[in-house]
């Protein structure tokens, strides 16, 4: 059963609120998320998949402030080595294709967050990103959005592409 508590949805089974293994309430902020989660919980769907809706939700609910800060730090580290910024290939056609596809995204990302990002042409070079605007963006994400952003960035090795995918600016084919 889904319990609506103003801006949160919690789950009840046999008159008891469901909690995570850390004792935190299993709760979400959107009704659609709550309904999808309830359906997966009832069907015991994909519980072995660490990236399933159920497991990502439980992961998010379990986060404390220290872990949230570590995730934000990790996202900055991923951005320093973002794969769309690397162009150290011999293959000129690949470099042209990457430049055509990714340079507009890199430019928009840099401009939006007022970042200094360099395209790297050697595995011995990398960016050291510092941005109050990007930090503020991460701070404004709720725990579920932050989790998805982090997981997607980790899977794709690109914070930049993950940002544009989450915001509906690129499709999954461009992302992968």
């Amino acid at each position: 059963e889904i319990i609506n508590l103003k801006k949160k949805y919690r789950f009840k089974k046999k008159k008891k609120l469901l909690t995570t293994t850390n004792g935190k309430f299993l709760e979400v902020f959107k009704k659609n998320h709550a309904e999808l989660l309830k359906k997966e919980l009832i069907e015991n769907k994909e519980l072995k998949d660490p990236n399933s809706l159920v497991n990502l939700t439980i992961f998010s609910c379990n986060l404390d402030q220290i872990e949230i800060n570590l995730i934000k730090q990790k996202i900055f580290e991923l951005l320093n080595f973002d794969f769309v910024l690397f162009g150290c290939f011999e293959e000129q056609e690949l470099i042209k294709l990457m430049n055509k596809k990714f340079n507009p995204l890199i430019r928009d990302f840099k401009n939006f967050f007022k970042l200094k990002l360099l395209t790297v042409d050697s595995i011995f070079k990398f960016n050291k990103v510092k941005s109050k605007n990007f930090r503020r963006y991460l701070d404004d994400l709720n725990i579920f959005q932050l989790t998805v952003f982090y997981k997607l960035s980790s899977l794709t090795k690109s914070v930049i592409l993950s940002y544009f995918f989450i915001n509906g600016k690129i499709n999954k084919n461009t992302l992968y």
Side-chain angles (χ1 to χ4, degrees):
E1 171 185 7
I2 298 173
I3 309 297
N4 184 351
L5 302 168
K6 292 188 182 182
K7 295 183 179 185
K8 292 181 182 181
Y9 297 88
R10 290 187 180 162
F11 301 86
K12 191 184 268 190
K13 186 176 181 180
K14 297 180 184 177
K15 298 182 182 183
K16 185 178 178 188
L17 287 173
L18 296 181
T19 58
T20 66
T21 53
N22 290 355
K24 296 184 176 185
F25 289 113
L26 185 61
E27 61 186 14
V28 297
F29 304 131
K30 295 185 177 183
K31 185 176 184 176
N32 187 35
H33 186 175
E35 290 170 354
L36 288 170
L37 186 61
K38 178 183 174 185
K39 182 180 177 193
E40 284 196 17
L41 285 168
I42 289 170
E43 296 173 2
N44 284 325
K45 197 174 177 184
E46 301 183 48
L47 294 179
K48 292 181 181 174
D49 178 3
N51 295 317
S52 71
L53 179 66
V54 172
N55 286 322
L56 287 176
T57 302
I58 291 169
F59 175 86
S60 298
C61 289
N62 270 331
L63 292 174
D64 62 26
Q65 195 56 51
I66 292 170
E67 293 164 326
I68 289 169
N69 290 334
L70 286 173
I71 287 173
K72 291 175 187 176
Q73 179 182 337
K74 188 69 173 167
I75 290 170
F76 267 94
E77 289 173 17
L78 289 167
L79 181 56
N80 286 332
F81 297 96
D82 197 300
F83 99 88
V84 300
L85 299 174
F86 282 85
C88 52
F89 310 108
E90 296 285 329
E91 181 60 46
Q92 290 302 312
E93 288 301 313
L94 178 59
I95 292 171
K96 282 182 189 177
L97 178 65
M98 287 181 68
N99 286 341
K100 182 180 176 185
K101 279 189 153 195
F102 300 141
N103 281 356
L105 298 173
I106 294 167
R107 182 195 63 236
D108 291 350
F109 191 83
K110 283 170 36 173
N111 291 341
F112 185 76
F113 290 113
K114 295 176 178 49
L115 288 168
K116 291 181 181 179
L117 293 174
L118 303 172
T119 303
V120 179
D121 59 1
S122 165
I123 59 171
F124 300 108
K125 295 181 187 174
F126 60 92
N127 285 281
K128 282 211 166 208
V129 177
K130 292 181 181 173
S131 170
K132 289 180 183 176
N133 293 334
F134 189 62
R135 171 61 75 174
R136 199 172 306 119
Y137 169 78
L138 294 177
D139 289 343
D140 288 344
L141 297 176
N142 69 41
I143 57 173
F144 304 107
Q145 294 165 327
L146 183 65
T147 296
V148 168
F149 190 71
Y150 169 66
K151 291 285 187 169
L152 199 54
S153 296
S154 297
L155 289 171
T156 63
K157 305 298 183 221
S158 178
V159 171
I160 296 169
L161 293 181
S162 298
Y163 169 80
F164 284 108
F165 178 76
I166 288 170
N167 288 287
K169 305 291 185 193
I170 63 170
N171 62 30
K172 65 181 180 184
N173 295 331
T174 304
L175 179 66
Y176 290 105

PDB file of all heavy atoms in Angstrom, residues 4 18 25 28 33 35 52 59 70 73 150 169 171:
ATOM      1  N   ASN A   4       0.359   8.441   1.104  1.00  0.00           N
ATOM      2  CA  ASN A   4       0.672   9.783   0.615  1.00  0.00           C
ATOM      3  C   ASN A   4       0.835  10.723   1.805  1.00  0.00           C
ATOM      4  O   ASN A   4      -0.098  10.956   2.557  1.00  0.00           O
ATOM      5  CB  ASN A   4      -0.451  10.270  -0.310  1.00  0.00           C
ATOM      6  CG  ASN A   4      -0.158  11.606  -0.945  1.00  0.00           C
ATOM      7  OD1 ASN A   4       0.797  12.287  -0.594  1.00  0.00           O
ATOM      8  ND2 ASN A   4      -0.998  11.973  -1.897  1.00  0.00           N
ATOM      9  N   LEU A  18       7.401   0.247   5.470  1.00  0.00           N
ATOM     10  CA  LEU A  18       8.609  -0.428   5.008  1.00  0.00           C
ATOM     11  C   LEU A  18       9.830   0.459   5.226  1.00  0.00           C
ATOM     12  O   LEU A  18       9.784   1.671   5.003  1.00  0.00           O
ATOM     13  CB  LEU A  18       8.489  -0.774   3.519  1.00  0.00           C
ATOM     14  CG  LEU A  18       7.395  -1.761   3.127  1.00  0.00           C
ATOM     15  CD1 LEU A  18       7.424  -2.012   1.624  1.00  0.00           C
ATOM     16  CD2 LEU A  18       7.554  -3.076   3.879  1.00  0.00           C
ATOM     17  N   PHE A  25      13.103   5.063   6.189  1.00  0.00           N
ATOM     18  CA  PHE A  25      11.852   4.786   5.486  1.00  0.00           C
ATOM     19  C   PHE A  25      12.097   4.641   3.992  1.00  0.00           C
ATOM     20  O   PHE A  25      12.888   5.377   3.401  1.00  0.00           O
ATOM     21  CB  PHE A  25      10.831   5.906   5.706  1.00  0.00           C
ATOM     22  CG  PHE A  25      10.266   5.939   7.092  1.00  0.00           C
ATOM     23  CD1 PHE A  25      10.550   6.998   7.935  1.00  0.00           C
ATOM     24  CD2 PHE A  25       9.460   4.910   7.555  1.00  0.00           C
ATOM     25  CE1 PHE A  25      10.040   7.027   9.223  1.00  0.00           C
ATOM     26  CE2 PHE A  25       8.943   4.926   8.834  1.00  0.00           C
ATOM     27  CZ  PHE A  25       9.234   5.992   9.681  1.00  0.00           C
ATOM     28  N   VAL A  28       9.563   7.934  -1.568  1.00  0.00           N
ATOM     29  CA  VAL A  28       9.876   8.621  -2.824  1.00  0.00           C
ATOM     30  C   VAL A  28       9.095   9.928  -2.867  1.00  0.00           C
ATOM     31  O   VAL A  28       8.199  10.156  -2.056  1.00  0.00           O
ATOM     32  CB  VAL A  28       9.558   7.728  -4.044  1.00  0.00           C
ATOM     33  CG1 VAL A  28      10.428   6.474  -4.044  1.00  0.00           C
ATOM     34  CG2 VAL A  28       8.091   7.356  -4.105  1.00  0.00           C
ATOM     35  N   HIS A  33       6.734   7.443  -9.499  1.00  0.00           N
ATOM     36  CA  HIS A  33       7.830   6.647  -8.951  1.00  0.00           C
ATOM     37  C   HIS A  33       7.274   5.646  -7.932  1.00  0.00           C
ATOM     38  O   HIS A  33       7.633   4.460  -7.936  1.00  0.00           O
ATOM     39  CB  HIS A  33       8.849   7.579  -8.306  1.00  0.00           C
ATOM     40  CG  HIS A  33      10.108   6.907  -7.830  1.00  0.00           C
ATOM     41  ND1 HIS A  33      11.154   7.632  -7.329  1.00  0.00           N
ATOM     42  CD2 HIS A  33      10.507   5.612  -7.750  1.00  0.00           C
ATOM     43  CE1 HIS A  33      12.127   6.811  -6.966  1.00  0.00           C
ATOM     44  NE2 HIS A  33      11.753   5.576  -7.205  1.00  0.00           N
ATOM     45  N   GLU A  35       4.239   4.392  -7.714  1.00  0.00           N
ATOM     46  CA  GLU A  35       3.437   3.348  -8.363  1.00  0.00           C
ATOM     47  C   GLU A  35       4.314   2.327  -9.080  1.00  0.00           C
ATOM     48  O   GLU A  35       4.055   1.115  -9.003  1.00  0.00           O
ATOM     49  CB  GLU A  35       2.432   3.991  -9.307  1.00  0.00           C
ATOM     50  CG  GLU A  35       1.329   4.730  -8.546  1.00  0.00           C
ATOM     51  CD  GLU A  35       0.427   5.583  -9.435  1.00  0.00           C
ATOM     52  OE1 GLU A  35       0.705   5.708 -10.648  1.00  0.00           O
ATOM     53  OE2 GLU A  35      -0.547   6.133  -8.891  1.00  0.00           O
ATOM     54  N   SER A  52      18.253  -1.793 -10.909  1.00  0.00           N
ATOM     55  CA  SER A  52      16.796  -1.830 -11.023  1.00  0.00           C
ATOM     56  C   SER A  52      16.189  -0.672 -10.233  1.00  0.00           C
ATOM     57  O   SER A  52      16.848  -0.084  -9.357  1.00  0.00           O
ATOM     58  CB  SER A  52      16.245  -3.155 -10.486  1.00  0.00           C
ATOM     59  OG  SER A  52      16.363  -3.203  -9.074  1.00  0.00           O
ATOM     60  N   PHE A  59      18.956   2.162  -2.464  1.00  0.00           N
ATOM     61  CA  PHE A  59      20.282   2.792  -2.362  1.00  0.00           C
ATOM     62  C   PHE A  59      20.133   4.268  -2.011  1.00  0.00           C
ATOM     63  O   PHE A  59      20.788   4.776  -1.106  1.00  0.00           O
ATOM     64  CB  PHE A  59      21.028   2.610  -3.695  1.00  0.00           C
ATOM     65  CG  PHE A  59      22.351   3.314  -3.765  1.00  0.00           C
ATOM     66  CD1 PHE A  59      23.499   2.705  -3.287  1.00  0.00           C
ATOM     67  CD2 PHE A  59      22.450   4.595  -4.310  1.00  0.00           C
ATOM     68  CE1 PHE A  59      24.725   3.357  -3.356  1.00  0.00           C
ATOM     69  CE2 PHE A  59      23.668   5.254  -4.371  1.00  0.00           C
ATOM     70  CZ  PHE A  59      24.816   4.629  -3.897  1.00  0.00           C
ATOM     71  N   LEU A  70      30.106  12.408  -0.790  1.00  0.00           N
ATOM     72  CA  LEU A  70      31.067  11.554  -1.500  1.00  0.00           C
ATOM     73  C   LEU A  70      30.638  11.327  -2.944  1.00  0.00           C
ATOM     74  O   LEU A  70      31.481  11.306  -3.850  1.00  0.00           O
ATOM     75  CB  LEU A  70      31.237  10.219  -0.776  1.00  0.00           C
ATOM     76  CG  LEU A  70      32.047  10.249   0.512  1.00  0.00           C
ATOM     77  CD1 LEU A  70      31.985   8.899   1.221  1.00  0.00           C
ATOM     78  CD2 LEU A  70      33.491  10.631   0.229  1.00  0.00           C
ATOM     79  N   GLN A  73      31.412  14.428  -4.886  1.00  0.00           N
ATOM     80  CA  GLN A  73      32.858  14.473  -5.118  1.00  0.00           C
ATOM     81  C   GLN A  73      33.236  13.516  -6.243  1.00  0.00           C
ATOM     82  O   GLN A  73      34.053  13.838  -7.109  1.00  0.00           O
ATOM     83  CB  GLN A  73      33.596  14.108  -3.830  1.00  0.00           C
ATOM     84  CG  GLN A  73      35.098  14.105  -3.943  1.00  0.00           C
ATOM     85  CD  GLN A  73      35.759  13.683  -2.633  1.00  0.00           C
ATOM     86  OE1 GLN A  73      35.188  13.780  -1.552  1.00  0.00           O
ATOM     87  NE2 GLN A  73      36.967  13.175  -2.745  1.00  0.00           N
ATOM     88  N   TYR A 150      24.675   9.981 -10.897  1.00  0.00           N
ATOM     89  CA  TYR A 150      25.928   9.325 -10.539  1.00  0.00           C
ATOM     90  C   TYR A 150      26.065   7.966 -11.240  1.00  0.00           C
ATOM     91  O   TYR A 150      27.102   7.663 -11.840  1.00  0.00           O
ATOM     92  CB  TYR A 150      26.014   9.161  -9.020  1.00  0.00           C
ATOM     93  CG  TYR A 150      27.138   8.270  -8.568  1.00  0.00           C
ATOM     94  CD1 TYR A 150      28.463   8.647  -8.773  1.00  0.00           C
ATOM     95  CD2 TYR A 150      26.888   7.059  -7.941  1.00  0.00           C
ATOM     96  CE1 TYR A 150      29.515   7.828  -8.366  1.00  0.00           C
ATOM     97  CE2 TYR A 150      27.920   6.239  -7.527  1.00  0.00           C
ATOM     98  CZ  TYR A 150      29.228   6.628  -7.748  1.00  0.00           C
ATOM     99  OH  TYR A 150      30.252   5.814  -7.351  1.00  0.00           O
ATOM    100  N   LYS A 169      18.120  16.303 -23.759  1.00  0.00           N
ATOM    101  CA  LYS A 169      18.753  16.978 -24.905  1.00  0.00           C
ATOM    102  C   LYS A 169      19.403  16.008 -25.883  1.00  0.00           C
ATOM    103  O   LYS A 169      19.692  16.365 -27.011  1.00  0.00           O
ATOM    104  CB  LYS A 169      19.807  17.988 -24.421  1.00  0.00           C
ATOM    105  CG  LYS A 169      19.269  19.008 -23.444  1.00  0.00           C
ATOM    106  CD  LYS A 169      18.315  19.970 -24.090  1.00  0.00           C
ATOM    107  CE  LYS A 169      17.906  21.028 -23.083  1.00  0.00           C
ATOM    108  NZ  LYS A 169      16.783  21.806 -23.492  1.00  0.00           N
ATOM    109  N   ASN A 171      19.501  11.539 -27.002  1.00  0.00           N
ATOM    110  CA  ASN A 171      18.808  10.264 -26.822  1.00  0.00           C
ATOM    111  C   ASN A 171      19.784   9.177 -26.360  1.00  0.00           C
ATOM    112  O   ASN A 171      20.987   9.417 -26.245  1.00  0.00           O
ATOM    113  CB  ASN A 171      18.094   9.853 -28.119  1.00  0.00           C
ATOM    114  CG  ASN A 171      19.063   9.648 -29.274  1.00  0.00           C
ATOM    115  OD1 ASN A 171      20.221   9.275 -29.092  1.00  0.00           O
ATOM    116  ND2 ASN A 171      18.590   9.893 -30.486  1.00  0.00           N
TER     117      ASN A 171
END
